[in-house]
Amino acid sequence: MMQSKYFRTCFGIIALLLIIYLGAEISFLFRPIVSMFNMLIVPVAMAGFFYYLLRPIVDYLERRKIKRSIGVLMLYFVFAGLCAIFGIVVWPTLREQIENFISNTPFLVEGVEEQIDQLQQNQFWSRYIPTESELSTTLTEYMNRMITWISNSINNLISVVSGVVVIIATIPIILYYMLKEGSKLPPRLLSVLPRRYRRDGQEVLGEIDTALSNFIIGKVILNLILSVMIYIGFLIIGLPYSLLLTVISFFLNFIPYIGALLATVPVVIIGFIESPSIAIWSVVVIVIAQQIQDNILTPVIYGKQLDIHPLTTVVLILVGGDFFGLLGILLAIPAYMIVKIIAVRIYELFLAEKVEDA
């Protein structure tokens, strides 16, 4: 019986389940590891993001006979200069819009009510707009939710600020060593593999590196171009807080699919307070910019490298958000790309011939 492949497989599964069960019983031993992972995942992910953005520049400087450490420090100085230019040129306008938005926040609901009252006087729109009592109840409900959310955010403010300070202080250090010694990591990873598989492992690491680099750089370029188009459109239609809304859209658009919808909500609300026509035109601007990005820019920048079905993307976002929240949503597609490349190579090495024979 023990020589049977079926029983050996069953015993292997039972042994694996037993190991998982015993590991769950002594989970307290793994808490320090889990805590360290939770503490480092955000700064490491952010440092990896900037690593793929800045590595081509560091490689170029190294080809120009500049040491990598010196090249990284030069990039840090350039980044500090860009931050200074941002503070002189862009920040005053952005700060003014933020201050105006904060001071006018109590009047936002009143502005929405005034616009709805005007629409209710129109014979066409009055058929689709709820009565004043229903509107008041709905607005009150949304305001209560907003107040609750703000209260919870204030209660967690200290921990959030401390976490942000740790992240901001840690990212430059991690990024420095990534850019300086990143080329040393692949050989160390390959040394773990048996010799017969090291060539395949090297090819897999190269494919993963290329895929992540193209994805991150392409995403940043697309978001920058999209933000410029949206900002120009907002200026043309006269949308208030155009720069602030564009900056918010730039960051939210890093979230696939959902980010574009989330970025549209505040734009429509602000536009509707100004006038319903501004709200409609703001949606038109966003839709046109998104269509240019999806149908013209994305194929040019990505080509066929980002071969992920839209339904797969939605599933990845839902699963990543359910398990890891916002971080899971942001890392879902890069993680999927890594797993897909590894799975395809494992299939080619160990399973392809058996499947063909079967």
Side-chain angles (χ1 to χ4, degrees), residues 24-326:
E25 291 297 318
I26 56 172
S27 59
F28 61 91
L29 295 177
F30 303 101
R31 287 176 185 171
I33 300 176
V34 174
S35 299
M36 184 176 64
F37 175 81
N38 293 332
M39 181 177 61
L40 293 177
I41 182 63
V42 174
V44 169
M46 292 296 297
F49 175 82
F50 287 106
Y51 166 76
Y52 280 108
L53 285 179
L54 301 178
R55 186 183 62 178
I57 303 176
V58 177
D59 291 341
Y60 172 79
L61 294 176
E62 187 178 27
R63 290 194 298 268
R64 305 290 293 183
K65 308 302 181 182
I66 299 177
K67 292 184 178 180
R68 294 190 71 87
S69 57
I70 303 299
V72 175
L73 293 177
M74 290 173 61
L75 282 180
Y76 279 16
F77 282 113
V78 171
F79 181 76
L82 292 176
C83 290
I85 294 174
F86 176 85
I88 296 173
V89 178
V90 181
W91 176 245
T93 303
L94 184 61
R95 181 183 62 185
E96 181 182 358
Q97 292 188 6
I98 294 174
E99 293 174 351
N100 292 337
F101 180 80
I102 294 174
S103 62
N104 293 328
T105 299
F107 306 102
L108 294 179
V109 177
E110 296 180 4
V112 174
E113 290 179 347
E114 291 177 0
Q115 293 295 340
I116 293 179
D117 289 339
Q118 294 180 8
L119 291 177
Q120 284 178 336
Q121 298 175 4
N122 186 290
Q123 295 181 355
F124 176 79
W125 292 107
S126 61
R127 304 173 186 176
Y128 306 101
I129 298 177
T131 61
E132 185 176 355
S133 59
E134 294 175 351
L135 176 63
S136 177
T137 303
T138 304
L139 289 176
T140 302
E141 181 181 354
Y142 283 122
M143 288 301 297
N144 289 334
R145 292 180 182 177
M146 186 180 297
I147 292 172
T148 302
W149 179 79
I150 293 174
S151 300
N152 294 334
S153 300
I154 292 175
N155 292 332
N156 298 326
L157 182 62
I158 297 177
S159 60
V160 171
V161 170
S162 61
V164 170
V165 170
V166 171
I167 291 174
I168 293 176
T170 308
I171 288 176
I173 301 174
I174 298 176
L175 177 60
Y176 173 81
Y177 286 103
M178 278 186 172
L179 292 171
K180 181 175 179 290
E181 302 179 357
S183 59
K184 298 180 181 179
L185 180 60
R188 294 178 181 177
L189 294 177
L190 293 175
S191 63
V192 180
L193 297 176
R195 290 184 179 274
R196 59 180 297 187
Y197 298 120
R198 287 181 183 177
R199 181 175 180 181
D200 295 288
Q202 185 176 5
E203 293 177 357
V204 168
L205 290 178
E207 292 178 10
I208 292 174
D209 183 71
T210 302
L212 291 178
S213 178
N214 293 337
F215 174 76
I216 292 174
I217 295 176
K219 192 65 176 176
V220 172
I221 293 174
L222 287 174
N223 281 359
L224 285 173
I225 298 174
L226 179 66
S227 299
V228 171
M229 291 189 296
I230 289 176
Y231 182 61
I232 293 173
F234 288 169
L235 291 178
I236 293 174
I237 65 176
L239 180 69
Y241 312 110
S242 56
L243 181 59
L244 175 61
L245 294 172
T246 302
V247 172
I248 294 174
S249 299
F250 172 77
F251 289 105
L252 288 178
N253 277 309
F254 279 100
I255 304 175
Y257 288 99
I258 301 175
L261 180 61
L262 295 176
T264 305
V265 172
V267 172
V268 173
I269 294 175
I270 298 300
F272 184 76
I273 293 173
E274 187 71 12
S275 71
S277 61
I278 294 294
I280 295 174
W281 279 112
S282 63
V283 174
V284 171
V285 169
I286 293 175
V287 170
I288 293 176
Q290 288 285 351
Q291 291 301 313
I292 294 175
Q293 180 198 47
D294 296 337
N295 298 314
I296 299 177
L297 298 177
T298 300
V300 171
I301 294 176
Y302 282 130
K304 296 183 179 180
Q305 296 173 352
L306 192 65
D307 187 16
I308 303 177
H309 195 276
L311 181 60
T312 304
T313 303
V314 173
V315 173
L316 290 172
I317 293 171
L318 293 176
V319 174
D322 184 61
F323 279 95
F324 303 104
L326 179 60

